[in-house]
Amino acid sequence: GENVEQHPSTLSVQEGDSAVIKCTYSDSASNYFPWYKQELGKRPQLIIDIRSNVGEKKDQRIAVTLNKTAKHFSLHITETQPEDSAVYFCAAKGGYSTLTFGKGTMLLVSP
Amino acid sequence: GAVVSQHPSRVICKSGTSVKIECRSLDFQATTMFWYRQFPKQSLMLMATSNEGSKATYEQGVEKDKFLINHASLTLSTLTVTSAHPEDSSFYICSASRGLAGDEQFFGPGTRLTVL
């Protein structure tokens, strides 16, 4: 089955800095890669996703890049704000398979 | 939007009792619903996948007789934790997707189960 590795497990940045979280996946058939933000005790919320037919997608301060050859994808957050502090999960899915989640990255943005 | 509700949000029960958790898609028909378990500071672990009108598919290591899943309609799935024990205490989250190969999953708010 699919295996998703996520790094780093924790990331501390100063407000205004950029943050990058990286994930690798094992199944070359995976074609859908969402990123979720989860605040403590709340539901995961989709913040951005990318499909295998594109290499990059951007939504305001958030961007995701995908390298299918290397089987890795990354989340980029620019101009970080304290409210960006949360746990971020990457995931991968192919066809009729289920989502496989990474172990999460706790992002701490200090004012 | 696509809204998923979950009830109850929090439940405390005694060891040996059973607890039912409901997951509803409020504004769309969910062909497939998923049940996850999340321990503190850990990732979401898929327990089972349920399709309306058919038996749930359980992940390896998940006891189907302990975690009963029913997906009776396109908007409702239930998870029953039978004979709950303290080690079953966790955050249970459901999600739903549209269509058989629908990619995006919409998550419910989760249920915090505490077994005394």
Side-chain angles (χ1 to χ4, degrees), chain B residues 9 42 77 90 109:
Chain B
S9 58
Q42 293 190 22
S77 177
S90 188

PDB file of all heavy atoms in Angstrom, chain B residues 9 42 77 90 109:
ATOM      1  N   SER B   9     -20.435  15.271  20.141  1.00  0.00           N
ATOM      2  CA  SER B   9     -19.095  15.840  20.033  1.00  0.00           C
ATOM      3  C   SER B   9     -18.188  15.304  21.130  1.00  0.00           C
ATOM      4  O   SER B   9     -16.965  15.249  20.974  1.00  0.00           O
ATOM      5  CB  SER B   9     -19.155  17.367  20.113  1.00  0.00           C
ATOM      6  OG  SER B   9     -19.756  17.764  21.341  1.00  0.00           O
ATOM      7  N   GLN B  42      -0.976  12.523  17.235  1.00  0.00           N
ATOM      8  CA  GLN B  42      -0.709  11.555  16.180  1.00  0.00           C
ATOM      9  C   GLN B  42      -1.571  11.857  14.960  1.00  0.00           C
ATOM     10  O   GLN B  42      -2.442  12.713  14.982  1.00  0.00           O
ATOM     11  CB  GLN B  42      -0.966  10.140  16.690  1.00  0.00           C
ATOM     12  CG  GLN B  42       0.011   9.689  17.762  1.00  0.00           C
ATOM     13  CD  GLN B  42      -0.103   8.214  18.067  1.00  0.00           C
ATOM     14  OE1 GLN B  42      -0.596   7.426  17.270  1.00  0.00           O
ATOM     15  NE2 GLN B  42       0.367   7.824  19.248  1.00  0.00           N
ATOM     16  N   SER B  77     -23.944   7.608   8.365  1.00  0.00           N
ATOM     17  CA  SER B  77     -23.173   6.430   8.742  1.00  0.00           C
ATOM     18  C   SER B  77     -23.017   6.466  10.255  1.00  0.00           C
ATOM     19  O   SER B  77     -22.901   7.539  10.852  1.00  0.00           O
ATOM     20  CB  SER B  77     -21.787   6.442   8.073  1.00  0.00           C
ATOM     21  OG  SER B  77     -21.006   5.332   8.499  1.00  0.00           O
ATOM     22  N   SER B  90     -10.387   7.915  22.593  1.00  0.00           N
ATOM     23  CA  SER B  90      -9.698   8.520  21.457  1.00  0.00           C
ATOM     24  C   SER B  90     -10.591   9.586  20.844  1.00  0.00           C
ATOM     25  O   SER B  90     -11.708   9.830  21.295  1.00  0.00           O
ATOM     26  CB  SER B  90      -9.361   7.444  20.414  1.00  0.00           C
ATOM     27  OG  SER B  90      -8.537   7.956  19.388  1.00  0.00           O
ATOM     28  N   PRO B 109     -16.654  17.127  12.644  1.00  0.00           N
ATOM     29  CA  PRO B 109     -15.945  17.818  13.718  1.00  0.00           C
ATOM     30  C   PRO B 109     -15.305  16.892  14.744  1.00  0.00           C
ATOM     31  O   PRO B 109     -14.564  17.349  15.602  1.00  0.00           O
ATOM     32  CB  PRO B 109     -17.033  18.682  14.362  1.00  0.00           C
ATOM     33  CG  PRO B 109     -18.294  17.934  14.080  1.00  0.00           C
ATOM     34  CD  PRO B 109     -18.109  17.292  12.733  1.00  0.00           C
TER      35      PRO B 109
END
